[in-house]
């Protein structure tokens, strides 16, 4: 709404100054009033008009809406087509970084050969806003074609197509399940052995579930007469498992696990979360500030949905980052502002980098920084933030009144004995100047030593959040009725595991230690193996579940990637997949400095399988470099 008002005001000012004639059109489908401007030949180079085109382009880049308006603004002579001079004027006055370089060159060549009509312009916009060369849906389209048994119909045969669909969704990218993974699935269907190291999905690659959690969940899910009320369960389950299941069934209510719950989550389970946070940080947490969610990703999406108000809103995210952030930001029509982690210093965070990126976004680009995301321990980078790092972040956010989003889902995955997890909330509460810092932290049952990804359990804690905003977050949660009950139970169990002296404690502790010890060994051996490959370098994985090596590629490989219109690391990852069956994620999907290439891999597979993968990484790299030398 604010953007529409500003747009209309800009057009009105131009009209008063005699530089444009005003045209009003109403879109019958959306009932939205649009302001169109026409320029005379004498005034088409006006800086005011250039500014108006830039504003309209900014709106399109952020929201994916307004292509008709943009076309009308470029069509300065009302001819119904855009000529070479008009498109050149436009390209000279919009930020070069917003437009895919290949699309920029293509539209100039096309206009030089003849005018550009609206359908051609609409097709060009798709190419112009294509974020990542490496994610072209090639294999997804091949799978679709195979499933229907014939060639897909052209776009013109469907009213809902790539031109008319949500452009925000079209531009959204999620590399963790992108082009390389789709190809891996296709190869697996053909019988090829695939080692999936693309995603932190522990149980899928062999990690065993923790017995205590599964026993309690089983008793809760069973009908009462078969489970908690059955006289035989005492002989089949440990006493503390039965006691906990009875307690949880009481908290859930007589309807059992198949009924909806409170939209914020079952109160007793939120109390477990609040007590866990209180004990961890030595600062009080209260259940009313806890929201249970379908994993941390769902909670992050809820917060960003409630936060983002217009297309000038921006979220600062670390580069490299976990792609859920860029995906949601893109889909909601906001802007991402990357702050780069320093690879040479172990992926460190610096105050100078934060200030530099914020200043450029606010003063140069006119953006409104609404939130900053911190991922600790890092994904995909595996670093563990020190208290000094966290103080830098907290003070920065407090200084500029920026909401801090603390992604802390790997807080138990720390392998360096000299490092420890410190929560952002603890630092915020204890750091002078951060008394009013707005903070939301996230945790999940998918990571740690639990790995119950499919149950979709997690929580967020709100700290210093406006009470009215909190009621609106509750309203948003209500629109989805509630998070999954299994995930809520899993979150409660994560926050309150068996205690010393209880029947299940010894087995539980041994199982956890076995998982942790194996992860620690694998983190060390994978990084060591990658660093022994000529042309690769990798920082230690002190935390989380990933390694993020940098790979030096021969110049001819870079040229081949350009020829295939993919990123160099996508070319490399696809080659690795075809040759070895190892499925990794191109580093470009997480963001990286210009000129860097690499990939992200987990170290979750069984140790013997990971050892073979390390050998295969080297074999493939040698073959790849020979091929392009």
């Amino acid at each position: 709404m604010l953007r529409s008002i500003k747009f209309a005001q800009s057009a009105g000012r131009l009209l008063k100054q005699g530089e444009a004639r005003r045209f009003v059109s109403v879109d019958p489908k959306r009932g939205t009033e649009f302001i169109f401007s026409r320029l005379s030949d004498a005034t088409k180079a006006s800086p005011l008009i250039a500014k108006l085109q830039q504003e309209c382009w900014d709106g399109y880049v952020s929201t994916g809406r307004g292509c008709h308006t943009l076309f009308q603004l470029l069509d300065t002579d009302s001819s119904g087509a855009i000529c070479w001079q008009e498109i050149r004027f436009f390209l000279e006055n919009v930020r070069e970084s917003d437009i895919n370089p290949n699309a920029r060159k293509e539209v100039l060549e096309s206009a030089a050969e003849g005018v550009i009509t609206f359908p051609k312009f609409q097709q060009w916009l798709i190419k112009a806003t294509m974020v990542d060369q490496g994610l072209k849906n090639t294999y997804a389209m091949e799978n679709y074609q195979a499933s229907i048994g014939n060639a897909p119909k052209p776009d013109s045969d469907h009213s809902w197509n790539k031109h008319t669909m949500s452009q925000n969704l079209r531009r959204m990218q999620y590399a963790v399940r992108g082009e390389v993974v789709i190809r891996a699935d296709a190869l697996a269907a053909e019988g090829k052995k695939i080692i999936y190291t693309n995603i932190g999905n522990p149980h899928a690659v062999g990690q065993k579930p923790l017995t205590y959690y599964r026993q309690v969940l089983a008793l809760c899910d069973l009908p009462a007469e078969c489970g908690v009320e059955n006289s035989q369960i005492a002989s089949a389950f440990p006493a503390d498992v039965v006691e906990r299941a009875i307690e949880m069934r009481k908290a859930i209510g007589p309807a059992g696990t198949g009924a909806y719950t409170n939209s914020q989550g079952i109160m007793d389970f939120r109390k477990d979360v609040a007590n866990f946070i209180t004990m961890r940080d030595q600062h009080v947490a209260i259940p009313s500030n806890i929201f249970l969610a379908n994993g941390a990703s769902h909670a992050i999406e809820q917060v960003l949905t409630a936060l983002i108000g217009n297309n000038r809103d921006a979220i600062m995210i670390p580069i490299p980052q976990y792609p859920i952030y860029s995906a949601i930001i893109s889909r909601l029509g906001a802007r991402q502002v990357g702050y780069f982690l320093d690879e040479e210093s172990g992926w460190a965070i610096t105050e100078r980098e934060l200030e530099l990126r914020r200043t450029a976004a606010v003063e140069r680009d006119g953006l409104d920084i609404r939130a900053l995301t911190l991922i600790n321990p890092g994904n995909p980078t595996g670093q563990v933030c020190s208290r000094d790092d966290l103080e830098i972040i907290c003070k920065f956010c407090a200084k500029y009144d920026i909401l801090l989003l603390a992604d802390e889902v790997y807080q138990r995955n720390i392998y360096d004995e000299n490092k420890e997890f410190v929560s952002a909330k603890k630092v915020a509460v204890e750091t002078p100047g951060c008394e009013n810092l707005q903070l939301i932290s996230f945790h999940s049952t998918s990571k740690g030593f639990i790995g119950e990804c499919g149950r979709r359990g997690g929580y967020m804690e709100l700290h210093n959040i406006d009470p009215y905003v909190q009621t609106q977050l509750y309203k948003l949660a209500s629109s989805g009725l509630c998070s999954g009950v299994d995930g809520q139970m899993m979150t409660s169990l994560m926050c309150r595991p068996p205690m010393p002296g209880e029947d299940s404690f010894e087995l539980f502790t041994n199982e956890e230690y076995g998982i942790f010890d194996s992860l620690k060994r694998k983190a060390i051996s994978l990084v060591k193996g990658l660093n022994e490959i000529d042309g690769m370098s990798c920082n230690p994985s002190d935390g989380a579940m990933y390694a993020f090596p940098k790979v030096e590629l021969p110049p001819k490989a870079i040229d081949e990637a350009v020829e295939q219109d993919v990123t160099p690391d996508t070319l490399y990852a696809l080659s690795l997949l075809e040759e070895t069956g190892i499925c990794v994620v191109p580093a470009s999907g997480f963001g990286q400095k210009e000129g860097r290439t690499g990939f992200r891999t987990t170290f979750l597979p069984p140790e013997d399988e990971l050892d073979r993968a390390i050998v295969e990484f080297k074999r493939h790299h040698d073959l790849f470099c020979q091929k392009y030398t």
Side-chain angles (χ1 to χ4, degrees):
M1 178 62 71
L2 289 175
R3 173 53 68 200
S4 297
I5 291 171
K6 288 181 180 179
F7 190 93
Q9 289 173 339
S10 297
R13 287 195 298 272
L14 292 173
L15 178 66
K16 288 179 183 178
Q17 294 173 24
E19 297 197 23
R21 299 198 309 276
R22 189 180 182 204
F23 291 78
V24 179
S25 175
V26 176
D27 184 327
K29 293 183 179 179
R30 294 199 304 247
T32 304
E33 184 179 270
F34 292 96
I35 308 298
F36 299 128
S37 297
R38 297 286 183 265
L39 309 180
S40 68
D41 290 339
T43 61
K44 69 180 180 181
S46 162
L48 288 171
I49 295 304
K51 182 180 179 181
L52 187 56
Q53 288 185 351
Q54 174 69 67
E55 288 186 357
C56 189
W57 171 252
D58 285 345
Y60 179 80
V61 168
S62 294
T63 67
R65 301 186 181 97
C67 61
H68 289 85
T69 308
L70 185 60
F71 180 80
Q72 298 263 6
L73 279 171
L74 270 63
D75 179 19
T76 58
D77 59 3
S78 307
S79 65
I82 302 172
C83 67
W84 184 82
Q85 290 86 352
E86 289 168 331
I87 196 68
R88 181 182 177 187
F89 172 71
F90 167 70
L91 293 175
E92 288 175 349
N93 287 287
V94 296
R95 282 184 295 275
E96 186 173 346
S97 60
D98 283 348
I99 298 178
N100 183 295
N102 292 336
R104 177 183 287 268
K105 178 181 177 182
E106 179 182 309
V107 75
L108 285 171
E109 292 174 350
S110 179
E113 295 172 359
V115 295
I116 299 173
T117 61
F118 177 72
K120 288 179 65 176
F121 181 70
Q122 195 175 28
Q123 292 174 10
W124 175 76
L125 283 176
I126 290 177
K127 296 179 180 179
T129 54
M130 189 175 292
V131 178
D132 189 338
Q133 295 167 287
L135 300 171
K136 299 187 296 182
N137 293 324
T138 304
Y139 296 115
M141 290 300 294
E142 289 177 359
N143 291 345
Y144 168 74
Q145 183 173 340
S147 70
I148 62 175
N150 51 47
K153 297 178 181 179
D155 289 341
S156 58
D157 287 356
H158 297 94
S159 61
W160 185 17
N161 56 48
K162 66 182 178 184
H163 306 298
T164 61
M165 69 175 291
S166 164
Q167 295 301 295
N168 283 346
L169 176 59
R170 177 187 61 78
R171 290 201 305 269
M172 186 187 89
Q173 307 290 357
Y174 187 60
V176 172
R177 296 211 170 178
E179 189 86 344
V180 178
V181 184
I182 293 171
R183 178 58 180 159
D185 289 343
L187 290 173
E190 296 170 4
K192 186 177 180 69
K193 166 68 174 175
I194 303 297
I195 302 175
Y196 286 97
T197 68
N198 63 295
I199 193 168
N201 192 11
H203 291 186
V205 289
Q207 181 175 307
K208 300 297 183 184
L210 296 171
T211 303
Y212 174 80
Y213 292 154
R214 288 296 182 92
Q215 288 177 327
V216 175
L217 291 171
L219 283 178
C220 288
D221 273 334
L222 283 169
E225 62 272 17
C226 302
V228 294
E229 295 178 3
N230 190 294
S231 60
Q232 304 297 316
I233 62 169
S235 61
F237 294 92
D240 60 336
V241 168
V242 175
E243 182 180 346
R244 184 67 180 278
I246 291 172
E247 177 191 327
M248 294 181 77
R249 277 297 297 254
K250 183 178 178 181
I252 294 167
T257 59
Y260 292 132
T261 72
N262 177 279
S263 296
Q264 198 169 335
I266 294 168
M267 174 55 80
D268 283 1
F269 298 168
R270 286 189 279 134
K271 287 179 180 178
D272 289 335
V273 175
N275 290 335
F276 163 77
I277 295 170
T278 300
M279 292 181 66
R280 182 195 68 192
D281 297 339
Q282 297 300 298
H283 297 289
V284 174
I286 58 176
S288 61
N289 288 338
I290 307 297
F291 282 71
L292 303 184
N294 291 321
S297 297
H298 181 240
I300 292 163
E301 182 175 13
Q302 287 182 317
V303 170
L304 291 177
T305 298
L307 178 68
I308 293 169
N310 65 70
N311 57 30
R312 308 303 295 174
D313 287 347
I315 312 297
M316 292 186 70
I317 59 175
I319 301 297
Q321 53 104 20
Y322 177 51
I324 193 67
Y325 293 99
S326 56
I328 296 173
I329 291 165
S330 176
R331 188 170 59 78
L332 293 176
R335 300 298 189 91
Q336 66 179 59
V337 174
Y339 64 92
F340 284 82
L341 306 179
D342 185 354
E343 185 171 10
E344 304 305 316
S345 301
W347 301 111
I349 299 167
T350 66
E351 184 178 4
R352 181 179 180 277
E353 173 68 11
L354 294 174
E355 293 284 358
L356 181 69
R357 301 301 171 179
R358 179 199 165 274
T359 299
V362 173
E363 298 182 6
R364 183 193 67 195
D365 300 334
L367 301 178
D368 182 10
I369 305 293
R370 304 299 310 283
L372 180 146
T373 294
L374 164 71
I375 306 176
N376 179 40
N379 176 11
T381 46
Q383 87 284 8
V384 178
C385 292
S386 68
R387 188 181 181 99
D388 288 345
D389 290 332
L390 295 171
E391 286 187 4
I392 288 171
I393 289 278
C394 288
K395 288 179 179 178
F396 175 82
C397 290
K399 177 181 177 181
Y400 294 109
D401 201 22
I402 294 170
L403 171 66
L404 175 57
L405 305 177
D407 183 335
E408 299 173 338
V409 302
Y410 297 100
Q411 58 188 259
R412 296 211 56 200
N413 297 95
I414 297 177
Y415 314 113
D416 187 330
E417 296 176 357
N418 298 314
K419 297 184 178 180
E420 64 175 346
F421 171 77
V422 181
S423 75
K425 182 187 175 184
K426 181 177 178 65
V427 172
V429 172
E430 296 175 356
T431 302
C434 296
E435 294 81 4
N436 297 317
L437 173 65
Q438 301 168 88
L439 166 68
I440 300 180
S441 56
F442 307 92
H443 196 12
S444 167
T445 65
S446 299
K447 311 305 177 186
F449 315 132
I450 302 173
E452 296 275 6
C453 301
R455 296 192 187 275
R456 311 309 301 134
Y459 72 78
M460 61 179 172
E461 183 197 14
L462 280 56
H463 175 71
N464 273 342
I465 301 301
D466 179 88
Y468 181 78
V469 170
Q470 189 158 332
T471 65
Q472 298 307 296
L473 282 169
Y474 181 82
K475 179 173 70 176
L476 180 59
S478 299
S479 69
L481 299 174
C482 71
S483 59
V485 178
D486 269 13
Q488 292 189 43
M489 291 191 294
M490 195 71 246
T491 304
S492 168
L493 291 167
M494 173 184 72
C495 292
R496 201 179 116 211
M499 302 301 292
E502 294 182 346
D503 293 353
S504 300
F505 179 75
E506 183 177 354
L507 174 62
F508 178 83
T509 303
N510 289 339
E511 288 177 341
E512 275 208 327
Y513 178 77
I515 294 169
F516 169 78
D517 203 41
S518 177
L519 286 171
K520 182 177 179 179
R521 289 194 301 269
K522 290 187 288 187
I524 294 170
S525 66
L526 176 61
V527 171
K528 180 176 181 291
L530 292 173
N531 280 323
E532 288 175 350
I533 299 172
D534 188 29
M536 282 196 197
S537 60
C538 186
N539 280 329
S541 295
D542 295 330
M545 299 175 171
Y546 315 100
F548 196 65
K550 178 167 62 176
V551 182
E552 296 177 11
L553 300 183
K556 286 187 177 180
I558 308 295
D559 294 341
E560 178 65 19
V562 172
E563 181 69 23
Q564 294 189 24
D565 194 25
V566 297
T567 62
D569 40 23
T570 297
L571 177 74
Y572 187 88
L574 286 170
S575 172
L576 176 68
L577 174 67
E578 298 284 351
E579 178 64 31
T580 69
I582 300 173
C583 179
V584 299
V585 186
S588 54
F590 301 88
Q592 57 189 337
K593 284 188 175 180
E594 187 174 354
R596 183 191 191 275
T597 56
F599 58 85
R600 187 194 79 168
T601 177
T602 71
F603 43 81
L604 290 173
E607 292 184 59
D608 58 343
E609 193 169 281
L610 188 65
D611 288 342
R612 290 195 296 273
I614 293 170
V615 174
E616 288 294 275
F617 278 129
K618 182 179 186 331
R619 184 178 70 83
H620 166 263
H621 188 70
D622 290 343
L623 288 173
F624 186 89
C625 291
Q626 289 172 13
K627 179 178 179 180
Y628 291 105
T629 298

